[in-house]
Amino acid sequence: MAATAREDGARSRQRGQRGCEHYDRGCLLKAPCCDKLYTCRLCHDNNEDHQLDRFKVKEVQCINCEKIQHAQQTCEECSTLFGEYYCNICHLFDKDKKQYHCENCGICRIGPKEDFFHCLKCNLCLAMNLQGKHKCIENVSRQNCPICLEDIHTSRVVAHVLPCGHLLHRGYRCPLCMHSALDMTRYWRQLDDEVAQTPMPSEYQNMTVDILCNDCNGRSTVQFHILGMKCKICDSYNTAQAGGRRISLDHQ
């Protein structure tokens, strides 16, 4: 059976450490679902077959005097600071990272608050430089990352806002709409050089193929190449074959 957070906390105190790999805090949460003590909800969820509801936490245990008490920022017995930042809604204790609680998101976000705005349609806090400059998709964060499958809305990992409006934690192409996730211009130029320096065998030199561009959605007919086929409209190599290969009659 996995060790409880009480045991983990005792070992941490012996090492002169506090908190866990996820958060820096001076208390353990008493899980309302199973009455076990864990440093955080993530530690709990990694060791149990159910999830801890952060909003239902009522009690914590001080890691120094071990007194169980109502969730609050400072120990009522020994004055240990449980967290430089404390949210009495999420019951988030951590070192100061300019966090703030977003009422629309329903959870805490890493700030500073003035650098972010909440998009009501996307239902997500976004950087101020994206205000009026992003493609809105309704409730876009209320889904799992299509690559790592982690819940985007509550994840501690920063999600990237793609030009197509979708979100993901990592990757260069959106797996939902297949649009390029980043500015790939520099890479496309490198690929131009590689294609030029890699001639195809003679039996393929006059072969053309119809392609569909995932970036501009345009269709074009181009010369087949094993390294990639470049869109004639937007110069992207983020393309897919849309028809069979054929030999140009002009070169037969």
Side-chain angles (χ1 to χ4, degrees), residues 205-218:
Q205 288 182 358
N206 298 325
M207 183 173 290
T208 60
V209 64
D210 295 330
I211 61 170
L212 171 66
C213 178
N214 291 318
D215 287 333
C216 72
N217 295 321

Side-chain angles (χ1 to χ4, degrees), residues 17-216:
Q17 298 177 355
R18 53 181 271 150
C20 61
E21 62 179 304
H22 308 111
Y23 299 104
D24 182 333
R25 55 181 53 167
C27 65
L28 307 177
L29 305 181
K30 185 176 181 181
C33 44
C34 57
D35 286 335
K36 294 181 180 179
L37 294 167
Y38 279 94
T39 306
C40 75
R41 64 180 179 86
L42 300 173
C43 291
H44 170 279
D45 294 352
N46 289 338
N47 286 280
E48 302 292 342
D49 59 1
H50 58 277
Q51 293 186 328
L52 188 157
D53 186 340
R54 72 185 85 181
F55 305 107
K56 292 183 178 180
V57 171
K58 300 296 183 184
E59 295 180 306
V60 298
Q61 183 189 55
C62 177
I63 64 169
N64 289 321
C65 69
E66 299 190 348
K67 179 178 176 62
I68 294 179
Q69 56 202 277
H70 291 298
Q72 53 196 321
Q73 190 167 14
T74 304
C75 177
E76 63 187 36
E77 184 74 16
C78 68
S79 299
T80 293
L81 183 65
F82 294 155
E84 294 175 348
Y85 174 82
Y86 170 58
C87 174
N88 61 6
I89 299 175
C90 298
H91 302 298
L92 172 63
F93 301 85
D94 201 5
K95 62 184 178 181
D96 183 13
K97 301 175 183 174
K98 307 299 181 184
Q99 301 95 322
Y100 66 98
H101 182 86
C102 176
E103 293 184 1
N104 290 311
C105 283
I107 57 176
C108 290
R109 298 294 190 191
I110 294 179
K113 185 177 182 178
E114 57 269 21
D115 288 350
F116 295 86
F117 75 100
H118 186 91
C119 176
L120 294 176
K121 184 173 181 179
C122 294
N123 204 3
L124 178 69
C125 284
L126 299 171
M128 289 297 295
N129 61 10
L130 291 175
Q131 194 164 19
K133 300 178 182 178
H134 70 284
K135 181 179 180 180
C136 287
I137 297 180
E138 190 169 1
N139 292 323
V140 66
S141 72
R142 273 28 177 215
Q143 59 184 325
N144 292 339
C145 171
I147 294 179
C148 69
L149 303 182
E150 183 179 358
D151 177 58
I152 290 178
H153 187 70
T154 60
S155 173
R156 297 174 68 248
V157 179
V158 175
H160 299 286
V161 182
L162 309 185
C164 57
H166 295 123
L167 303 176
L168 76 161
H169 286 145
R170 57 182 180 270
Y172 74 90
R173 184 169 66 180
C174 176
L176 299 177
C177 65
M178 305 305 287
H179 286 192
S180 295
L182 307 170
D183 182 356
M184 301 293 288
T185 303
R186 183 176 179 181
Y187 178 70
W188 297 155
R189 300 295 77 77
Q190 292 176 347
L191 200 50
D192 279 341
D193 293 338
E194 292 182 23
V195 168
Q197 296 170 16
T198 311
M200 293 292 290
S202 57
E203 60 267 31
Y204 290 101
Q205 288 182 358
N206 298 325
M207 183 173 290
T208 60
V209 64
D210 295 330
I211 61 170
L212 171 66
C213 178
N214 291 318
D215 287 333
C216 72

